[in-house]
Amino acid sequence: MMGRPPRSDENGLKKGPWTPEEDRILIDYIRTHGHGSWRVLPSLAGLNRCGKSCRLRWTNYLRPDIKRGKFSDEEEQTIINLHAGLGNKWSAIASHLPGRTDNEIKNFWNTYLRKKLLQMGIDPVTHKPRTDHLNILASLPQLLAAANFSSLMNNQALDINALRLQSDAATLAKLHVLHNMLQVLGNPSTMETMNLISGPTSRENQPFDELLRLNSQLEGNAGNLPFGGFIPRELTQLQSNFINLEASQQQQQPQLSEYQQQPIQDSLFAANIPTSSTQLPALISASPEHRPAIVENKIDPNEISNPSSSSTNFEAWGDLMDDVASDSYWRDIINQASSQSWPPLS
DNA sequence: AAATGGGTCAACCGCACTGAT
DNA sequence: AATCAGTGCGGTTGACCCATT
């Protein structure tokens, strides 16, 4: 067993990793006499350990009903659901998972589940979508991972939702690109440079005028909202969509204990999320035939069902940037943007 | 092949709770 | 009511594992 080198406390009692011999002594004693008082057990059993150490060793490792090995998907879901209601009450959570110890569940949570939820943009404390994503780009991996996660589920009906998540994330990405462009173009010095480069142009063939007009609408009409306002709202909605998606998945899983079920939240997709009418590069393949690789491979390497997926996200974004260069692309974005979250252009 | 850094998990630490005196 | 012992629980530690560089 891995662990620390043998140590002793001030009373000369051994600390650190247990040896097989110590394990055998403890098991033999408890089988014969029961553990009784943990405090007196070590001296009665002939172990140079404190009672607390013996109790811990027995309850976390030597108990015959301990279930070892990987957590099943059901156990994982149960832990998440229980944690949402109980918080870090590991022993309470463990009481609903036969054979699992609080220590084991705690370790599993801290080393795997917590990170998995974070990757999906879910606050592992509140179990709600994280709202600290002021930078949409920073949150895109989570959104895409969420869409990937959902599409991994072996349920064709849910793939529709995964596709919609993908579409929404793609729309947000386009809006972000637009915003950056508007910021650059809104700078007078940038305009000056542009005019120097391209000279006077007609409104029909120059999309930048239209972009600038849109930008001024954003900055003026939307007041405090320009982008810092509506992106977080859209993001939050996207993330809550994912939560709902997860909930609907759980509804279709086999019935578990009362703690293994989660209330299905109403509202699938809010109507105010724009659905892209233009086709972006396939960031995620959500069809049953082409289940995707996880975007963030830290989520769970075991869930990577198609590691040889032909298109990486970077490649896809490269394609997107190529697409961005086309005039029709911008017209489409502008049309979408101007019909969404701010007063329409006059 | 060696170095490095992140992940894992058994075990420890310290505080809180409970019941007996 | 105060104190103490025993136990339970959650947070933290640290050695080992393993993939990556």
Side-chain angles (χ1 to χ4, degrees):
Chain A
M1 183 198 74
M2 71 182 84
R4 306 172 177 87
R7 289 187 296 171
S8 300
D9 66 8
E10 61 277 7
N11 298 320
L13 296 175
K14 191 179 172 193
K15 296 165 71 174
W18 280 65
T19 64
E21 176 64 8
E22 287 175 314
D23 283 346
R24 189 191 58 75
I25 292 172
L26 182 59
I27 291 171
D28 286 349
Y29 180 87
I30 292 178
R31 275 186 183 157
T32 308
H33 305 94
H35 63 72
S37 167
W38 288 108
R39 187 174 181 79
V40 299
L41 181 149
S43 57
L44 293 176
L47 285 163
N48 189 30
R49 294 267 182 178
C50 69
K52 193 171 183 174
S53 179
C54 293
R55 175 174 57 83
L56 212 60
R57 183 64 179 170
W58 176 257
T59 56
N60 282 344
Y61 203 84
L62 297 177
R63 239 171 50 202
D65 57 334
I66 291 280
K67 184 203 282 185
R68 309 207 75 84
K70 281 196 66 168
F71 282 81
S72 68
D73 291 343
E74 276 190 8
E75 286 177 316
E76 185 178 318
Q77 192 59 59
T78 301
I79 292 168
I80 292 172
N81 292 346
L82 286 166
H83 189 273
L86 299 171
N88 293 1
K89 304 290 183 192
W90 305 118
S91 95
I93 293 171
S95 68
H96 292 95
L97 289 156
R100 300 294 189 181
T101 68
D102 54 355
N103 204 37
E104 193 179 13
I105 292 169
K106 178 174 60 183
N107 283 332
F108 182 59
W109 176 268
N110 287 330
T111 60
Y112 175 71
L113 282 180
R114 193 176 148 276
K115 293 171 188 172
K116 182 174 178 177
L117 291 180
L118 282 170
Q119 289 283 342
M120 297 190 310
I122 298 169
D123 187 329
V125 177
T126 64
H127 289 255
K128 292 180 173 148
R130 296 167 70 194
T131 55
D132 57 341
H133 296 71
L134 295 181
N135 185 333
I136 184 65
L137 267 192
S139 64
L140 271 173
Q142 280 87 34
L143 294 172
L144 297 174
N148 271 327
F149 179 83
S150 62
S151 66
L152 277 172
M153 295 303 162
N154 187 22
N155 186 319
Q156 291 201 1
L158 294 171
D159 284 338
I160 295 168
N161 286 339
L163 282 169
R164 294 168 77 172
L165 273 174
Q166 174 186 348
S167 173
D168 293 343
T171 299
L172 282 176
K174 288 199 293 184
L175 289 171
H176 181 71
V177 172
L178 170 62
H179 173 56
N180 287 344
M181 289 294 295
L182 293 179
Q183 282 188 329
V184 172
L185 291 171
N187 184 332
S189 64
T190 306
M191 273 309 295
E192 201 176 323
T193 305
M194 292 297 295
N195 287 335
L196 280 173
I197 293 170
S198 58
T201 53
S202 71
R203 204 161 262 283
E204 282 66 29
N205 61 13
Q206 178 52 276
F208 294 115
D209 285 351
E210 203 166 0
L211 282 167
L212 284 174
R213 197 157 53 85
L214 175 58
N215 194 33
S216 100
Q217 289 270 341
L218 284 169
E219 307 276 346
N221 293 348
N224 296 329
L225 272 188
F227 226 83
F230 82 81
I231 280 300
R233 184 172 63 81
E234 304 275 57
L235 175 59
T236 301
Q237 183 62 55
L238 264 180
Q239 290 169 324
S240 67
N241 287 346
F242 173 67
I243 301 292
N244 292 332
L245 183 59
E246 266 203 319
S248 64
Q249 289 163 349
Q250 286 156 10
Q251 189 176 33
Q252 299 180 43
Q253 290 175 346
Q255 292 298 302
L256 305 171
S257 77
E258 60 174 318
Y259 291 98
Q260 291 170 310
Q261 300 173 39
Q262 181 165 302
I264 305 304
Q265 298 174 31
D266 197 11
S267 89
L268 282 174
F269 279 82
N272 64 350
I273 294 290
T275 300
S276 173
S277 58
T278 50
Q279 291 303 307
L280 278 177
L283 297 176
I284 310 143
S285 173
S287 69
E289 302 83 9
H290 300 92
R291 302 209 176 273
I294 288 286
V295 173
E296 288 285 334
N297 62 6
K298 286 182 178 177
I299 285 181
D300 185 356
N302 298 324
E303 290 180 356
I304 299 177
S305 55
N306 183 14
S308 61
S309 175
S310 60
S311 175
T312 68
N313 290 296
F314 284 124
E315 289 165 351
W317 281 101
D319 293 341
L320 168 63
M321 290 310 150
D322 289 341
D323 195 16
V324 159
S326 76
D327 182 75
S328 62
Y329 173 86
W330 283 110
R331 291 188 184 285
D332 190 69
I333 292 179
I334 293 163
N335 288 338
Q336 276 186 50
S338 62
S339 64
Q340 304 291 336
S341 303
W342 50 82
L345 299 174
S346 54

